[in-house]
Amino acid sequence: MEKTVRLILGDQLNQQHSWFGKKEESVVYLMMEIRQETDYVKHHVQKVLAFFQSMRNFADWLEKQGHQVIYLPIDHKENRQHLEDNILHVVKSEKFKRFEYQLPDEYRLDIQLQKICKQLNIKTKSFDTEHFLSDRESVQTFFSGKKTYLMESFYRSMRETLDILMHGQKPLGGKWNYDQENRNKYREEVPVPPLPAFGRDLSELLKIIEKAEIETLGTVDPKNFPWPCSREESVTLLESFLEDLLPHFGSYQDAMHSGEPFLFHSRLSFALNSKMLHPLEVIQKAESCLQKNPEKYGMAQVEGFIRQILGWREFMRGVYWAKMPDYAQMNFFGHKRPLPSFFWNGNTKMNCLKHAIGQSLEHAYAHHIQRLMVTGNFALLAGIDPDEVDQWYLGIYVDAIEWVEITNTRGMSQFADGGIVGTKPYVSSANYIDKMSNYCGSCHYSKTKKTGDKACPFNSLYWAFYERNREKLENNPRIGFVYNTLSKMKQKDEILEQAESYLERLEEL
């Protein structure tokens, strides 16, 4: 019987995969913690800990199920610290006759594994991860011949295909999208219940990471590690979210609050992106909540949550595979300014950025509006190089894997793709941030001032962004009103001068 080695990557922790349905004496599973993956960007320490611990738990689970496992921890003497070197060494030393792997979700790993297979003088085969609800080509096929991809159209198609929130051929409740009801400011009128604490102590693993001299960012309390690192913990987190947070999720989906870093968000993205949870089980359980208790939940709450997974998550993955590798080089505005140092330490007088960056460093997490309309908004208005913005987002968030990070960052947030993902740049002045948060009230800067001492930088940078990109944006039908306003603006020159002075001293803001 041919000896087979099957590779499992750190984001392929799917206990429900068909590989694991039966035990085979001839099959050995290979997992590894490698510097290739810890070092391609500087990751948040909680991200490294979460992946390593989840991988170790998964390997333990495999062995308890009776499977054979070769696991190479980061400090193993036989660990070559590189995917290719480890695979070639293991195949040769263990005399394997077959190499099998699940298709990776990152383009760079996809190419790397294809090259590795060509170097192996044995049989090779790839398998689907059995995780996503659409295949790699679905978005490209759906929007064939079109320059712009509209998530809403794809989302509706997915709803119909999977019969999610449907009443026959029509959307349940009569509307496809309840986004207009997902924009309430949080005024502490509803208490935010705590999510479960797992009581996991990762002090020893942290020592191993530090001894290996893996360079990380952010902070962690290793004795009370907050992220789920097993399927059991992931299911516990899901059940807690459904019971306690989902009833108010949709209403405050876009809200931001200095005292509530998580609000009613699920924090399930790491469990989903590492495949400890399957998106369909999450979606169906949320849908079931609505069916069983419509008074407690409501369409606006449940649809807003399901849209994030069935809509954005699947859509962004499809865009990634449709447009890579060119997507990673796109820079529509030609932005080249370096990322300010306060993105790495949170030391800024802008209260919104201080909170969004501060909680990112503390928790390895910020929700989608903080990422899009605070940190991303500022980076776009300031003309930051999208390469640097990508590196920051990819490193700082526990759920950031390139397939989902780069499409959200370079596409949705920075409009560097020129409009493939978003129909217009997502930028705003202080007005939007104040509307959706309590950040502005205690800020060093004045949210109402465009010029002068302590004028909010967002206000002048907003108008300067549109002025310098007039040629590229003026004919966009969704933002014509901006240029109508600009042409009538009496303080235009002063505002542009204010913006320029801020751009010259970004580090001081």
Side-chain angles (χ1 to χ4, degrees):
M1 188 175 290
E2 291 184 335
K3 281 183 66 179
T4 299
V5 60
R6 286 176 169 173
L7 177 69
I8 300 174
L9 298 172
D11 63 346
Q12 295 177 341
L13 311 181
N14 179 8
Q15 291 185 10
Q16 298 157 313
H17 195 277
S18 58
W19 269 3
F20 313 125
K22 62 177 180 178
K23 296 180 284 291
E24 299 177 73
E25 290 184 11
S26 61
V27 174
V28 178
Y29 292 97
L30 173 63
M31 300 180 71
M32 62 186 81
E33 303 165 1
I34 48 178
R35 295 300 294 262
Q36 172 188 310
E37 295 305 293
T38 61
D39 295 3
Y40 67 91
V41 294
K42 186 193 289 188
H43 297 285
H44 199 293
V45 62
Q46 292 182 36
K47 183 180 183 183
V48 179
L49 284 167
F51 271 103
F52 280 12
Q53 186 60 47
S54 299
M55 291 166 65
R56 293 177 179 207
N57 288 343
F58 191 81
D60 289 344
W61 175 82
L62 283 174
E63 291 181 334
K64 288 175 182 176
Q65 300 303 307
H67 299 289
Q68 300 177 76
V69 179
I70 295 175
Y71 193 94
L72 298 175
I74 195 72
D75 57 352
H76 195 284
K77 64 180 180 180
E78 293 294 321
N79 191 340
R80 269 85 173 149
Q81 303 299 337
H82 192 272
L83 186 64
E84 176 184 331
D85 295 341
N86 277 334
I87 290 172
L88 294 177
H89 174 72
V90 168
V91 167
K92 182 179 180 181
S93 61
E94 299 291 331
K95 297 181 172 59
F96 286 109
K97 299 300 182 184
R98 287 180 65 89
F99 171 70
E100 297 177 347
Y101 67 95
Q102 294 176 31
L103 290 170
D105 294 318
E106 291 188 89
Y107 181 85
R108 66 183 175 88
L109 291 174
D110 197 48
I111 297 300
Q112 187 179 16
L113 280 164
Q114 289 177 37
K115 289 179 179 178
I116 291 170
C117 286
K118 289 178 181 177
Q119 294 182 58
L120 293 169
N121 295 316
I122 59 175
K123 297 173 185 175
T124 63
K125 187 176 181 181
S126 63
F127 292 78
D128 191 83
T129 60
E130 302 173 10
H131 175 79
F132 290 95
L133 305 177
S134 56
D135 59 39
R136 285 181 174 182
E137 292 76 32
S138 290
V139 166
Q140 187 172 21
T141 302
F142 187 83
F143 294 103
S144 179
K146 297 181 179 179
K147 292 182 179 180
T148 299
Y149 294 178
L150 191 64
M151 187 280 289
E152 183 68 22
S153 302
F154 184 72
Y155 168 56
R156 293 182 185 188
S157 172
M158 292 290 287
R159 289 259 301 267
E160 292 174 332
T161 300
L162 296 169
D163 193 27
I164 301 295
L165 296 179
M166 297 296 293
H167 182 68
Q169 301 298 311
K170 296 182 179 180
L172 190 66
K175 288 166 55 178
W176 286 102
N177 188 309
Y178 288 78
D179 188 46
Q180 293 294 328
E181 297 177 40
N182 298 153
R183 302 175 183 176
N184 295 323
K185 186 171 185 173
Y186 181 66
R187 305 178 192 276
E188 303 180 46
E189 58 270 70
V190 181
V192 179
L195 284 169
F198 300 114
R200 187 181 287 279
D201 186 346
L202 297 189
S203 300
E204 292 306 311
L205 182 55
L206 179 61
K207 290 178 183 176
I208 291 170
I209 290 170
E210 291 173 342
K211 187 176 180 180
E213 297 184 344
I214 295 171
E215 193 175 358
T216 61
L217 60 93
T219 60
V220 64
D221 175 3
K223 295 183 182 298
N224 297 286
F225 193 69
W227 296 102
C229 295
S230 67
R231 170 150 177 88
E232 292 73 23
E233 289 176 354
S234 300
V235 170
T236 297
L237 185 61
L238 171 59
E239 298 293 348
S240 176
F241 164 71
L242 294 174
E243 177 65 27
D244 299 328
L245 302 178
L246 182 58
H248 300 289
F249 170 80
S251 297
Y252 304 107
Q253 185 174 334
D254 290 0
M256 300 174 284
H257 194 278
S258 58
E260 297 288 351
F262 305 114
L263 281 171
F264 298 92
H265 291 266
S266 69
R267 293 194 301 170
L268 292 170
S269 50
F270 172 72
L272 278 164
N273 292 354
S274 58
K275 300 181 181 58
M276 293 187 289
L277 289 177
H278 193 282
L280 192 57
E281 72 175 312
V282 175
I283 290 167
Q284 288 178 336
K285 284 186 177 183
E287 186 180 31
S288 178
C289 288
L290 178 65
Q291 293 169 344
K292 292 177 181 177
N293 196 342
E295 290 186 9
K296 178 178 178 179
Y297 292 93
M299 278 296 298
Q301 317 305 326
V302 175
E303 188 277 325
F305 176 66
I306 288 176
R307 190 184 337 125
Q308 287 194 339
I309 300 173
L310 186 59
W312 273 116
R313 190 170 186 268
E314 295 286 329
F315 175 68
M316 288 302 194
R317 175 180 179 256
V319 172
Y320 179 81
W321 286 107
K323 298 298 180 181
M324 285 294 284
D326 294 343
Y327 202 85
Q329 309 302 321
M330 290 181 176
N331 189 352
F332 180 69
F333 296 115
H335 287 165
K336 289 298 178 185
R337 193 168 276 111
L339 196 71
S341 60
F342 57 73
F343 270 74
W344 303 102
N345 55 38
N347 294 331
T348 171
K349 296 188 288 289
M350 289 176 282
N351 206 34
C352 57
L353 281 166
K354 181 180 179 180
H355 278 287
I357 293 170
Q359 78 168 62
S360 300
L361 291 166
E362 182 180 356
H363 300 294
Y365 175 86
H367 71 67
H368 66 288
I369 294 298
Q370 291 169 313
R371 300 187 199 193
L372 177 65
M373 299 307 300
V374 179
T375 51
N377 183 13
F378 181 83
L380 181 52
L381 293 179
I384 307 301
D385 189 330
D387 287 350
E388 295 205 16
V389 182
D390 263 340
Q391 296 290 299
W392 186 78
Y393 278 98
L394 189 57
I396 200 167
Y397 293 122
V398 70
D399 55 17
I401 302 173
E402 189 187 64
W403 66 267
V404 68
E405 176 277 326
I406 197 170
T407 43
N408 274 292
T409 300
R410 197 170 287 252
M412 186 70 173
S413 170
Q414 298 304 292
F415 204 75
D417 64 2
I420 294 171
V421 169
T423 55
K424 67 181 178 88
Y426 279 84
V427 291
S428 79
S429 63
N431 184 54
Y432 175 84
I433 296 171
D434 184 49
K435 180 181 176 183
M436 298 308 304
S437 77
N438 69 337
Y439 294 151
C440 298
S442 56
C443 187
H444 168 83
Y445 295 101
S446 170
K447 64 186 178 184
T448 59
K449 294 181 68 174
K450 296 182 179 68
T451 61
D453 185 44
K454 295 186 178 181
C456 176
F458 279 90
N459 291 337
S460 57
L461 292 176
Y462 173 81
W463 294 109
F465 166 80
Y466 276 115
E467 180 62 28
R468 72 173 177 268
N469 293 300
R470 180 183 288 272
E471 190 175 321
K472 291 179 179 288
L473 299 175
E474 192 170 20
N475 294 324
N476 185 316
R478 291 201 65 193
I479 50 180
F481 72 95
V482 173
Y483 289 100
N484 289 335
T485 304
L486 257 175
S487 64
K488 300 172 185 176
M489 195 173 283
K490 295 178 180 179
Q491 280 186 296
K492 179 179 170 181
D493 290 343
E494 292 175 55
I495 291 170
L496 297 181
E497 286 176 15
Q498 181 86 34
E500 190 58 36
S501 70
Y502 280 152
L503 290 174
E504 290 174 355
R505 50 188 179 92
L506 282 181
E507 292 289 345
E508 302 171 25
L509 297 182

